[in-house]
Coordinates of all heavy atoms in Angstrom, one line a residue:
G1 N 0.8 -1.3 0.0 CA 0.0 0.0 0.0 C 0.8 1.3 0.0 O 2.0 1.3 0.5
D2 N 0.4 2.3 -0.6 CA 1.0 3.6 -0.7 C 0.4 4.4 0.4 O -0.6 5.1 0.3 CB 0.8 4.1 -2.1 CG 1.7 5.4 -2.3 OD1 2.7 5.5 -1.6 OD2 1.5 6.1 -3.3
L3 N 1.1 4.5 1.5 CA 0.5 5.2 2.7 C 1.3 6.4 3.0 O 2.5 6.6 2.6 CB 0.6 4.3 3.9 CG -0.2 3.0 3.9 CD1 0.1 2.1 5.1 CD2 -1.6 3.3 3.8
P4 N 0.7 7.4 3.7 CA 1.5 8.6 4.2 C 2.7 8.2 5.0 O 2.7 7.2 5.7 CB 0.4 9.3 5.0 CG -0.9 8.9 4.6 CD -0.7 7.5 4.1
A5 N 3.7 9.1 5.0 CA 5.0 8.7 5.6 C 4.8 8.5 7.1 O 5.5 7.8 7.8 CB 6.0 9.8 5.4
S6 N 3.8 9.2 7.8 CA 3.6 9.1 9.2 C 2.9 7.9 9.6 O 2.7 7.6 10.8 CB 2.8 10.3 9.6 OG 1.5 10.4 9.1
W7 N 2.5 7.0 8.7 CA 1.8 5.8 9.0 C 2.7 4.6 8.9 O 3.7 4.6 8.1 CB 0.6 5.5 8.0 CG -0.5 6.4 8.1 CD1 -0.5 7.6 8.7 CD2 -1.8 6.3 7.6 NE1 -1.7 8.3 8.6 CE2 -2.5 7.4 8.0 CE3 -2.5 5.3 6.9 CZ2 -3.9 7.7 7.5 CZ3 -3.7 5.5 6.5 CH2 -4.5 6.6 6.8
S8 N 2.6 3.6 9.7 CA 3.3 2.4 9.6 C 2.3 1.2 9.6 O 1.2 1.3 10.2 CB 4.4 2.3 10.6 OG 3.9 2.3 11.9
V9 N 2.7 0.0 9.1 CA 1.8 -1.1 9.0 C 2.6 -2.3 9.6 O 3.8 -2.5 9.4 CB 1.5 -1.4 7.5 CG1 0.7 -2.7 7.4 CG2 0.7 -0.3 6.9
E10 N 1.8 -3.1 10.3 CA 2.4 -4.4 10.9 C 1.3 -5.5 10.6 O 0.2 -5.3 10.4 CB 2.7 -4.3 12.3 CG 1.5 -4.3 13.2 CD 1.8 -4.4 14.7 OE1 3.0 -4.7 15.1 OE2 0.9 -4.3 15.5
A11 N 1.9 -6.7 10.4 CA 1.0 -7.8 10.3 C 1.3 -8.8 11.3 O 2.5 -9.1 11.6 CB 1.1 -8.5 8.9
I12 N 0.3 -9.3 12.0 CA 0.4 -10.4 13.0 C -0.3 -11.6 12.5 O -1.5 -11.6 12.3 CB -0.2 -9.9 14.4 CG1 0.5 -8.6 14.9 CG2 -0.1 -11.0 15.4 CD1 -0.2 -7.9 16.0
V13 N 0.5 -12.6 12.2 CA 0.0 -13.9 11.6 C -0.2 -14.8 12.7 O 0.7 -15.1 13.4 CB 0.9 -14.4 10.5 CG1 0.3 -15.7 10.0 CG2 1.1 -13.4 9.4
V14 N -1.5 -15.2 13.0 CA -1.7 -16.2 14.1 C -1.9 -17.6 13.5 O -2.8 -17.9 12.8 CB -3.0 -15.8 14.9 CG1 -3.3 -16.8 16.0 CG2 -2.9 -14.4 15.4
D15 N -0.8 -18.4 13.8 CA -0.8 -19.8 13.3 C -1.7 -20.6 14.3 O -1.5 -20.8 15.5 CB 0.6 -20.4 13.4 CG 0.6 -21.8 13.0 OD1 -0.4 -22.4 12.6 OD2 1.7 -22.4 13.1
D16 N -2.9 -21.1 13.7 CA -3.9 -21.7 14.6 C -3.7 -23.3 14.5 O -4.7 -24.0 14.2 CB -5.3 -21.3 14.2 CG -6.3 -21.5 15.2 OD1 -6.0 -21.8 16.4 OD2 -7.5 -21.5 14.8
G17 N -2.5 -23.7 14.8 CA -2.2 -25.2 14.9 C -2.1 -25.8 13.5 O -2.4 -26.9 13.3
S18 N -1.5 -25.0 12.6 CA -1.2 -25.5 11.2 C -0.4 -26.8 11.2 O 0.5 -26.9 12.0 CB -0.6 -24.4 10.4 OG -1.5 -23.4 10.2
L19 N -0.5 -27.5 10.1 CA 0.3 -28.7 9.8 C 1.5 -28.2 9.0 O 2.6 -28.9 8.8 CB -0.5 -29.7 9.1 CG -1.6 -30.4 9.9 CD1 -2.4 -31.3 9.1 CD2 -1.2 -30.9 11.2
D20 N 1.4 -27.0 8.4 CA 2.5 -26.5 7.6 C 3.3 -25.4 8.3 O 3.7 -24.4 7.6 CB 1.9 -26.0 6.3 CG 0.9 -24.8 6.3 OD1 0.6 -24.5 7.4 OD2 0.6 -24.3 5.3
R21 N 3.4 -25.5 9.6 CA 4.0 -24.4 10.4 C 5.4 -23.9 9.9 O 5.7 -22.8 9.8 CB 4.1 -24.9 11.9 CG 4.7 -23.9 12.8 CD 4.5 -24.3 14.2 NE 3.1 -24.3 14.5 CZ 2.6 -24.7 15.6 NH1 3.3 -25.3 16.5 NH2 1.2 -24.6 15.7
K22 N 6.3 -24.9 9.5 CA 7.6 -24.6 9.1 C 7.5 -23.7 7.8 O 8.2 -22.8 7.6 CB 8.4 -25.8 8.8 CG 9.0 -26.4 10.1 CD 9.9 -27.6 9.6 CE 11.1 -27.7 10.5 NZ 12.0 -28.8 10.1
A23 N 6.7 -24.1 6.9 CA 6.6 -23.4 5.6 C 6.0 -22.0 5.8 O 6.3 -21.0 5.2 CB 5.7 -24.1 4.6
L24 N 5.0 -21.9 6.7 CA 4.4 -20.6 7.1 C 5.5 -19.7 7.7 O 5.6 -18.5 7.3 CB 3.3 -20.9 8.0 CG 2.4 -19.6 8.4 CD1 1.7 -19.1 7.2 CD2 1.4 -20.0 9.5
N25 N 6.3 -20.2 8.6 CA 7.3 -19.4 9.2 C 8.3 -18.9 8.2 O 8.8 -17.8 8.2 CB 8.1 -20.2 10.3 CG 7.3 -20.3 11.6 OD1 6.6 -19.3 11.9 ND2 7.4 -21.4 12.3
A26 N 8.6 -19.8 7.2 CA 9.6 -19.5 6.2 C 9.1 -18.3 5.3 O 9.9 -17.6 4.8 CB 9.9 -20.7 5.3
V27 N 7.8 -18.2 5.1 CA 7.3 -17.1 4.3 C 7.3 -15.8 5.2 O 7.7 -14.8 4.8 CB 5.9 -17.3 3.8 CG1 5.3 -16.1 3.2 CG2 5.9 -18.6 2.9
V28 N 6.7 -15.9 6.4 CA 6.6 -14.6 7.2 C 7.9 -14.0 7.6 O 7.9 -12.8 7.7 CB 5.7 -15.0 8.5 CG1 5.6 -13.9 9.5 CG2 4.3 -15.5 8.1
I29 N 8.9 -14.8 7.8 CA 10.2 -14.3 8.2 C 10.8 -13.2 7.2 O 11.7 -12.4 7.5 CB 11.2 -15.4 8.5 CG1 12.3 -14.9 9.4 CG2 11.7 -16.1 7.3 CD1 13.1 -16.0 10.1
N30 N 10.3 -13.3 6.0 CA 10.8 -12.4 4.9 C 10.1 -11.0 5.0 O 10.6 -10.2 4.2 CB 10.5 -13.0 3.5 CG 11.4 -14.3 3.3 OD1 12.5 -14.3 3.4 ND2 10.6 -15.3 3.0
Y31 N 9.3 -10.8 5.9 CA 8.7 -9.5 6.0 C 9.1 -8.8 7.4 O 8.7 -9.4 8.4 CB 7.1 -9.6 6.0 CG 6.7 -10.1 4.6 CD1 6.6 -11.5 4.3 CD2 6.3 -9.3 3.6 CE1 6.3 -12.0 3.1 CE2 5.9 -9.7 2.4 CZ 5.9 -11.1 2.1 OH 5.5 -11.5 1.0
S32 N 9.8 -7.7 7.4 CA 10.3 -7.2 8.5 C 9.2 -6.7 9.5 O 9.5 -6.6 10.7 CB 11.3 -6.0 8.2 OG 10.6 -4.9 7.5
N33 N 8.1 -6.4 9.0 CA 7.1 -5.8 9.9 C 6.0 -6.9 10.1 O 4.8 -6.5 10.3 CB 6.4 -4.6 9.3 CG 7.4 -3.4 9.5 OD1 8.3 -3.4 10.2 ND2 7.2 -2.3 8.7
A34 N 6.3 -8.1 9.9 CA 5.3 -9.2 10.2 C 5.9 -10.1 11.2 O 7.1 -10.4 11.3 CB 5.1 -10.0 8.9
R35 N 5.0 -10.7 12.0 CA 5.5 -11.6 13.0 C 4.4 -12.7 13.1 O 3.2 -12.5 12.7 CB 5.8 -11.0 14.4 CG 4.6 -10.3 15.0 CD 5.0 -9.5 16.3 NE 3.9 -8.6 16.7 CZ 3.4 -8.6 17.9 NH1 3.9 -9.4 18.8 NH2 2.5 -7.8 18.2
I36 N 4.8 -13.9 13.6 CA 4.0 -14.9 13.8 C 3.7 -15.4 15.2 O 4.7 -15.4 16.0 CB 4.5 -16.1 12.8 CG1 3.4 -17.2 12.8 CG2 5.7 -16.7 13.4 CD1 3.6 -18.1 11.6
L37 N 2.6 -15.6 15.6 CA 2.2 -16.1 17.0 C 1.6 -17.5 16.8 O 0.8 -17.7 15.8 CB 1.2 -15.2 17.6 CG 1.7 -13.8 17.9 CD1 0.6 -12.9 18.5 CD2 2.9 -13.7 18.8
S38 N 1.9 -18.4 17.6 CA 1.4 -19.7 17.5 C 0.3 -20.0 18.5 O 0.5 -19.6 19.7 CB 2.4 -20.8 17.7 OG 3.4 -20.8 16.7
H39 N -0.8 -20.5 18.1 CA -2.0 -20.7 18.9 C -2.3 -22.2 18.8 O -2.5 -22.7 17.6 CB -3.2 -19.9 18.5 CG -4.4 -20.1 19.4 ND1 -5.3 -21.0 19.2 CD2 -4.7 -19.5 20.6 CE1 -6.2 -20.9 20.1 NE2 -5.9 -20.0 20.9

């Protein structure tokens, strides 16, 4: 997204017991403003 400079964006990905947890982590780690939480 093209946002004003004073705005920042973060993504919190909640892994809800996935069977593909390793693959999910491998994708999310490539985004500096994204983090993953496991549930």
Side-chain angles (χ1 to χ4, degrees):
D2 194 16
L3 300 172
S6 63
W7 292 17
S8 59
V9 175
E10 73 173 352
I12 302 166
V13 179
V14 180
D15 176 6
D16 198 15
S18 296
L19 301 175
D20 63 353
R21 181 169 292 172
K22 280 182 142 180
L24 186 63
N25 283 326
V27 174
V28 174
I29 200 166
N30 292 304
Y31 297 85
S32 61
N33 289 341
R35 60 188 167 126
I36 192 160
L37 299 175
S38 295
H39 182 269

